[in-house]
Tab-separated table of all heavy atoms in Angstrom:
chain	number	residue	atom	x	y	z
A	1020	SER	N	62.105	113.212	109.386
A	1020	SER	CA	60.783	112.782	109.882
A	1020	SER	C	59.897	113.987	110.159
A	1020	SER	O	58.724	114.017	109.790
A	1020	SER	CB	60.914	111.986	111.185
A	1020	SER	OG	61.893	111.011	111.058
A	1021	ARG	N	60.477	114.982	110.823
A	1021	ARG	CA	59.698	116.185	111.162
A	1021	ARG	C	59.232	116.905	109.892
A	1021	ARG	O	58.099	117.349	109.798
A	1021	ARG	CB	60.584	117.115	112.003
A	1021	ARG	CG	59.846	118.210	112.688
A	1021	ARG	CD	60.757	118.910	113.666
A	1021	ARG	NE	61.111	118.047	114.790
A	1021	ARG	CZ	60.439	118.036	115.935
A	1021	ARG	NH1	59.414	118.824	116.122
A	1021	ARG	NH2	60.805	117.222	116.917
A	1022	ALA	N	60.110	116.971	108.903
A	1022	ALA	CA	59.755	117.635	107.637
A	1022	ALA	C	58.619	116.870	106.938
A	1022	ALA	O	57.705	117.483	106.380
A	1022	ALA	CB	60.974	117.734	106.728
A	1023	HIS	N	58.671	115.530	106.986
A	1023	HIS	CA	57.585	114.737	106.378
A	1023	HIS	C	56.257	115.049	107.053
A	1023	HIS	O	55.230	115.198	106.393
A	1023	HIS	CB	57.860	113.234	106.526
A	1023	HIS	CG	58.915	112.712	105.603
A	1023	HIS	ND1	58.884	112.910	104.244
A	1023	HIS	CD2	60.028	111.978	105.840
A	1023	HIS	CE1	59.945	112.325	103.693
A	1023	HIS	NE2	60.648	111.762	104.641
A	1024	LEU	N	56.294	115.138	108.400
A	1024	LEU	CA	55.067	115.413	109.157
A	1024	LEU	C	54.433	116.724	108.708
A	1024	LEU	O	53.220	116.822	108.553
A	1024	LEU	CB	55.394	115.537	110.650
A	1024	LEU	CG	55.163	114.311	111.514
A	1024	LEU	CD1	55.513	114.637	112.960
A	1024	LEU	CD2	53.699	113.866	111.420
A	1025	GLU	N	55.288	117.737	108.515
A	1025	GLU	CA	54.773	119.045	108.106
A	1025	GLU	C	54.302	119.037	106.655
A	1025	GLU	O	53.363	119.735	106.298
A	1025	GLU	CB	55.854	120.120	108.296
A	1025	GLU	CG	56.041	120.454	109.758
A	1025	GLU	CD	57.307	121.260	110.030
A	1025	GLU	OE1	57.952	121.721	109.069
A	1025	GLU	OE2	57.637	121.410	111.222
A	1026	ALA	N	54.953	118.232	105.817
A	1026	ALA	CA	54.684	118.313	104.375
A	1026	ALA	C	53.596	117.359	103.890
A	1026	ALA	O	53.033	117.570	102.809
A	1026	ALA	CB	55.975	118.051	103.602
A	1027	ILE	N	53.317	116.294	104.629
A	1027	ILE	CA	52.502	115.228	104.047
A	1027	ILE	C	51.096	115.683	103.615
A	1027	ILE	O	50.670	115.392	102.492
A	1027	ILE	CB	52.466	113.961	104.959
A	1027	ILE	CG1	51.810	112.799	104.232
A	1027	ILE	CG2	51.800	114.195	106.291
A	1027	ILE	CD1	52.631	112.182	103.158
A	1028	VAL	N	50.386	116.420	104.469
A	1028	VAL	CA	49.016	116.803	104.101
A	1028	VAL	C	49.001	117.826	102.952
A	1028	VAL	O	48.286	117.639	101.965
A	1028	VAL	CB	48.207	117.274	105.341
A	1028	VAL	CG1	46.844	117.830	104.923
A	1028	VAL	CG2	48.034	116.102	106.312
A	1029	PRO	N	49.829	118.890	103.024
A	1029	PRO	CA	49.862	119.814	101.880
A	1029	PRO	C	50.277	119.137	100.560
A	1029	PRO	O	49.737	119.463	99.501
A	1029	PRO	CB	50.911	120.862	102.278
A	1029	PRO	CG	51.041	120.762	103.754
A	1029	PRO	CD	50.646	119.380	104.148
A	1030	THR	N	51.211	118.185	100.633
A	1030	THR	CA	51.659	117.513	99.402
A	1030	THR	C	50.538	116.645	98.840
A	1030	THR	O	50.323	116.570	97.625
A	1030	THR	CB	52.930	116.670	99.671
A	1030	THR	OG1	53.881	117.495	100.353
A	1030	THR	CG2	53.560	116.176	98.385
A	1031	MET	N	49.824	115.994	99.747
A	1031	MET	CA	48.665	115.186	99.353
A	1031	MET	C	47.632	116.090	98.643
A	1031	MET	O	47.135	115.757	97.563
A	1031	MET	CB	48.081	114.612	100.654
A	1031	MET	CG	47.004	113.654	100.467
A	1031	MET	SD	47.739	112.034	100.114
A	1031	MET	CE	46.231	111.120	99.952
A	1032	ASP	N	47.335	117.230	99.248
A	1032	ASP	CA	46.338	118.148	98.671
A	1032	ASP	C	46.791	118.641	97.300
A	1032	ASP	O	45.987	118.751	96.365
A	1032	ASP	CB	46.113	119.355	99.610
A	1032	ASP	CG	45.406	118.930	100.900
A	1032	ASP	OD1	44.873	117.797	100.929
A	1032	ASP	OD2	45.411	119.712	101.868
A	1033	ARG	N	48.099	118.923	97.168
A	1033	ARG	CA	48.615	119.421	95.890
A	1033	ARG	C	48.472	118.371	94.795
A	1033	ARG	O	48.105	118.678	93.665
A	1033	ARG	CB	50.098	119.798	96.035
A	1033	ARG	CG	50.294	121.301	96.241
A	1033	ARG	CD	51.692	121.745	95.894
A	1033	ARG	NE	52.675	121.082	96.730
A	1033	ARG	CZ	53.805	120.544	96.281
A	1033	ARG	NH1	54.088	120.595	94.996
A	1033	ARG	NH2	54.652	119.957	97.104
A	1034	ALA	N	48.789	117.111	95.154
A	1034	ALA	CA	48.712	116.034	94.153
A	1034	ALA	C	47.266	115.845	93.685
A	1034	ALA	O	47.005	115.715	92.477
A	1034	ALA	CB	49.256	114.738	94.736
A	1035	LEU	N	46.335	115.834	94.609
A	1035	LEU	CA	44.924	115.643	94.240
A	1035	LEU	C	44.456	116.791	93.338
A	1035	LEU	O	43.776	116.566	92.322
A	1035	LEU	CB	44.049	115.546	95.498
A	1035	LEU	CG	44.230	114.254	96.328
A	1035	LEU	CD1	43.564	114.393	97.698
A	1035	LEU	CD2	43.668	113.035	95.594
A	1036	ALA	N	44.863	118.025	93.690
A	1036	ALA	CA	44.454	119.191	92.892
A	1036	ALA	C	45.077	119.105	91.491
A	1036	ALA	O	44.402	119.363	90.481
A	1036	ALA	CB	44.878	120.477	93.593
A	1037	GLU	N	46.358	118.723	91.441
A	1037	GLU	CA	47.067	118.624	90.156
A	1037	GLU	C	46.383	117.602	89.228
A	1037	GLU	O	46.267	117.819	88.024
A	1037	GLU	CB	48.498	118.153	90.451
A	1037	GLU	CG	49.553	118.562	89.456
A	1037	GLU	CD	50.931	118.044	89.917
A	1037	GLU	OE1	51.432	118.491	90.979
A	1037	GLU	OE2	51.479	117.190	89.236
A	1038	ALA	N	45.923	116.493	89.814
A	1038	ALA	CA	45.274	115.452	89.005
A	1038	ALA	C	43.803	115.780	88.759
A	1038	ALA	O	43.147	115.116	87.951
A	1038	ALA	CB	45.397	114.104	89.701
A	1039	GLY	N	43.283	116.776	89.482
A	1039	GLY	CA	41.873	117.154	89.314
A	1039	GLY	C	40.916	116.089	89.831
A	1039	GLY	O	39.857	115.859	89.246
A	1040	VAL	N	41.328	115.413	90.935
A	1040	VAL	CA	40.463	114.379	91.518
A	1040	VAL	C	40.339	114.603	93.023
A	1040	VAL	O	41.045	115.439	93.593
A	1040	VAL	CB	41.028	112.956	91.251
A	1040	VAL	CG1	41.118	112.679	89.750
A	1040	VAL	CG2	42.393	112.762	91.904
A	1041	THR	N	39.446	113.859	93.660
A	1041	THR	CA	39.351	113.908	95.121
A	1041	THR	C	39.733	112.523	95.645
A	1041	THR	O	39.808	111.554	94.878
A	1041	THR	CB	37.921	114.230	95.591
A	1041	THR	OG1	37.091	113.107	95.245
A	1041	THR	CG2	37.381	115.495	94.942
A	1042	ILE	N	39.924	112.429	96.944
A	1042	ILE	CA	40.318	111.147	97.536
A	1042	ILE	C	39.235	110.088	97.273
A	1042	ILE	O	39.541	108.906	97.137
A	1042	ILE	CB	40.638	111.315	99.053
A	1042	ILE	CG1	41.268	110.051	99.642
A	1042	ILE	CG2	39.426	111.728	99.845
A	1042	ILE	CD1	42.712	109.859	99.345
A	1043	ALA	N	37.991	110.522	97.139
A	1043	ALA	CA	36.890	109.571	96.882
A	1043	ALA	C	37.056	108.887	95.519
A	1043	ALA	O	36.609	107.756	95.330
A	1043	ALA	CB	35.549	110.298	96.949
A	1044	ASP	N	37.703	109.576	94.560
A	1044	ASP	CA	37.889	109.005	93.215
A	1044	ASP	C	38.984	107.938	93.170
A	1044	ASP	O	39.068	107.160	92.211
A	1044	ASP	CB	38.302	110.107	92.211
A	1044	ASP	CG	37.247	111.203	92.101
A	1044	ASP	OD1	36.051	110.867	92.148
A	1044	ASP	OD2	37.634	112.383	91.979
A	1045	ILE	N	39.877	107.940	94.163
A	1045	ILE	CA	41.043	107.034	94.164
A	1045	ILE	C	40.569	105.590	94.383
A	1045	ILE	O	39.715	105.330	95.218
A	1045	ILE	CB	42.023	107.456	95.288
A	1045	ILE	CG1	42.525	108.894	95.083
A	1045	ILE	CG2	43.177	106.470	95.435
A	1045	ILE	CD1	43.439	109.106	93.899
A	1046	ASP	N	41.155	104.651	93.620
A	1046	ASP	CA	40.783	103.238	93.777
A	1046	ASP	C	41.656	102.500	94.788
A	1046	ASP	O	41.186	101.554	95.421
A	1046	ASP	CB	40.846	102.533	92.420
A	1046	ASP	CG	39.767	103.052	91.477
A	1046	ASP	OD1	38.585	102.944	91.838
A	1046	ASP	OD2	40.117	103.599	90.405
A	1047	ALA	N	42.914	102.882	94.903
A	1047	ALA	CA	43.787	102.249	95.902
A	1047	ALA	C	44.937	103.181	96.252
A	1047	ALA	O	45.344	104.007	95.422
A	1047	ALA	CB	44.337	100.926	95.382
A	1048	ILE	N	45.432	103.034	97.478
A	1048	ILE	CA	46.562	103.843	97.951
A	1048	ILE	C	47.767	102.920	98.107
A	1048	ILE	O	47.659	101.856	98.721
A	1048	ILE	CB	46.223	104.504	99.312
A	1048	ILE	CG1	45.038	105.467	99.136
A	1048	ILE	CG2	47.440	105.220	99.894
A	1048	ILE	CD1	44.510	106.037	100.443
A	1049	ALA	N	48.912	103.311	97.538
A	1049	ALA	CA	50.158	102.565	97.739
A	1049	ALA	C	51.091	103.435	98.558
A	1049	ALA	O	51.070	104.665	98.432
A	1049	ALA	CB	50.792	102.217	96.389
A	1050	VAL	N	51.889	102.807	99.399
A	1050	VAL	CA	52.805	103.575	100.245
A	1050	VAL	C	54.110	102.799	100.390
A	1050	VAL	O	54.101	101.569	100.432
A	1050	VAL	CB	52.177	103.868	101.637
A	1050	VAL	CG1	51.849	102.580	102.389
A	1050	VAL	CG2	53.102	104.740	102.481
A	1051	THR	N	55.233	103.523	100.464
A	1051	THR	CA	56.516	102.858	100.703
A	1051	THR	C	56.523	102.311	102.120
A	1051	THR	O	56.429	103.070	103.090
A	1051	THR	CB	57.690	103.845	100.541
A	1051	THR	OG1	57.665	104.360	99.216
A	1051	THR	CG2	59.016	103.150	100.788
A	1052	SER	N	56.635	100.980	102.229
A	1052	SER	CA	56.678	100.334	103.546
A	1052	SER	C	58.138	100.194	103.999
A	1052	SER	O	58.428	100.099	105.177
A	1052	SER	CB	56.001	98.969	103.393
A	1052	SER	OG	55.978	98.274	104.596
A	1053	GLY	N	59.076	100.153	103.052
A	1053	GLY	CA	60.495	100.046	103.348
A	1053	GLY	C	61.240	99.754	102.072
A	1053	GLY	O	60.604	99.621	101.028
A	1054	PRO	N	62.557	99.648	102.053
A	1054	PRO	CA	63.429	100.030	103.162
A	1054	PRO	C	63.634	101.547	103.197
A	1054	PRO	O	63.278	102.230	102.247
A	1054	PRO	CB	64.735	99.308	102.809
A	1054	PRO	CG	64.740	99.230	101.314
A	1054	PRO	CD	63.295	99.111	100.906
A	1055	GLY	N	64.186	102.035	104.308
A	1055	GLY	CA	64.408	103.469	104.442
A	1055	GLY	C	64.612	103.834	105.902
A	1055	GLY	O	64.856	102.953	106.732
A	1056	LEU	N	64.489	105.103	106.205
A	1056	LEU	CA	64.652	105.580	107.581
A	1056	LEU	C	63.360	105.283	108.344
A	1056	LEU	O	62.268	105.659	107.892
A	1056	LEU	CB	64.916	107.088	107.591
A	1056	LEU	CG	66.124	107.561	106.773
A	1056	LEU	CD1	66.139	109.085	106.658
A	1056	LEU	CD2	67.411	107.063	107.431
A	1057	ALA	N	63.484	104.630	109.498
A	1057	ALA	CA	62.304	104.143	110.219
A	1057	ALA	C	61.293	105.259	110.513
A	1057	ALA	O	60.105	105.137	110.204
A	1057	ALA	CB	62.732	103.442	111.501
A	1058	GLY	N	61.768	106.355	111.108
A	1058	GLY	CA	60.856	107.431	111.487
A	1058	GLY	C	60.215	108.090	110.277
A	1058	GLY	O	59.046	108.483	110.309
A	1059	ALA	N	60.969	108.202	109.206
A	1059	ALA	CA	60.469	108.815	107.972
A	1059	ALA	C	59.396	107.922	107.342
A	1059	ALA	O	58.320	108.393	106.946
A	1059	ALA	CB	61.619	109.040	107.002
A	1060	LEU	N	59.676	106.615	107.286
A	1060	LEU	CA	58.704	105.668	106.718
A	1060	LEU	C	57.395	105.698	107.494
A	1060	LEU	O	56.304	105.634	106.911
A	1060	LEU	CB	59.267	104.241	106.780
A	1060	LEU	CG	60.403	103.900	105.814
A	1060	LEU	CD1	61.068	102.583	106.226
A	1060	LEU	CD2	59.889	103.802	104.381
A	1061	LEU	N	57.525	105.805	108.833
A	1061	LEU	CA	56.329	105.777	109.694
A	1061	LEU	C	55.338	106.876	109.329
A	1061	LEU	O	54.125	106.663	109.383
A	1061	LEU	CB	56.744	105.982	111.154
A	1061	LEU	CG	56.896	104.736	112.006
A	1061	LEU	CD1	57.347	105.129	113.411
A	1061	LEU	CD2	55.570	103.973	112.071
A	1062	VAL	N	55.843	108.040	108.956
A	1062	VAL	CA	54.955	109.165	108.631
A	1062	VAL	C	54.101	108.812	107.408
A	1062	VAL	O	52.877	108.990	107.413
A	1062	VAL	CB	55.751	110.462	108.378
A	1062	VAL	CG1	54.814	111.599	107.985
A	1062	VAL	CG2	56.573	110.844	109.605
A	1063	GLY	N	54.734	108.265	106.382
A	1063	GLY	CA	53.998	107.907	105.168
A	1063	GLY	C	53.022	106.771	105.414
A	1063	GLY	O	51.877	106.802	104.950
A	1064	VAL	N	53.487	105.747	106.143
A	1064	VAL	CA	52.637	104.585	106.402
A	1064	VAL	C	51.422	105.007	107.247
A	1064	VAL	O	50.285	104.611	106.957
A	1064	VAL	CB	53.453	103.457	107.090
A	1064	VAL	CG1	52.548	102.371	107.638
A	1064	VAL	CG2	54.452	102.860	106.096
A	1065	ALA	N	51.646	105.840	108.266
A	1065	ALA	CA	50.530	106.294	109.111
A	1065	ALA	C	49.555	107.130	108.288
A	1065	ALA	O	48.329	106.993	108.422
A	1065	ALA	CB	51.069	107.092	110.294
A	1066	ALA	N	50.086	107.979	107.417
A	1066	ALA	CA	49.218	108.818	106.585
A	1066	ALA	C	48.393	107.935	105.647
A	1066	ALA	O	47.171	108.123	105.509
A	1066	ALA	CB	50.052	109.805	105.771
Side-chain angles (χ1 to χ4, degrees):
S1020 312
R1021 194 170 292 267
H1023 285 307
L1024 262 181
E1025 286 167 10
I1027 189 73
V1028 173
T1030 310
M1031 187 82 180
D1032 291 346
R1033 261 201 299 135
L1035 290 167
E1037 207 178 295
V1040 299
T1041 67
I1042 189 78
D1044 300 322
I1045 300 291
D1046 293 301
I1048 297 173
V1050 61
T1051 300
S1052 181
L1056 303 170
L1060 288 166
L1061 262 179
V1062 178
V1064 168

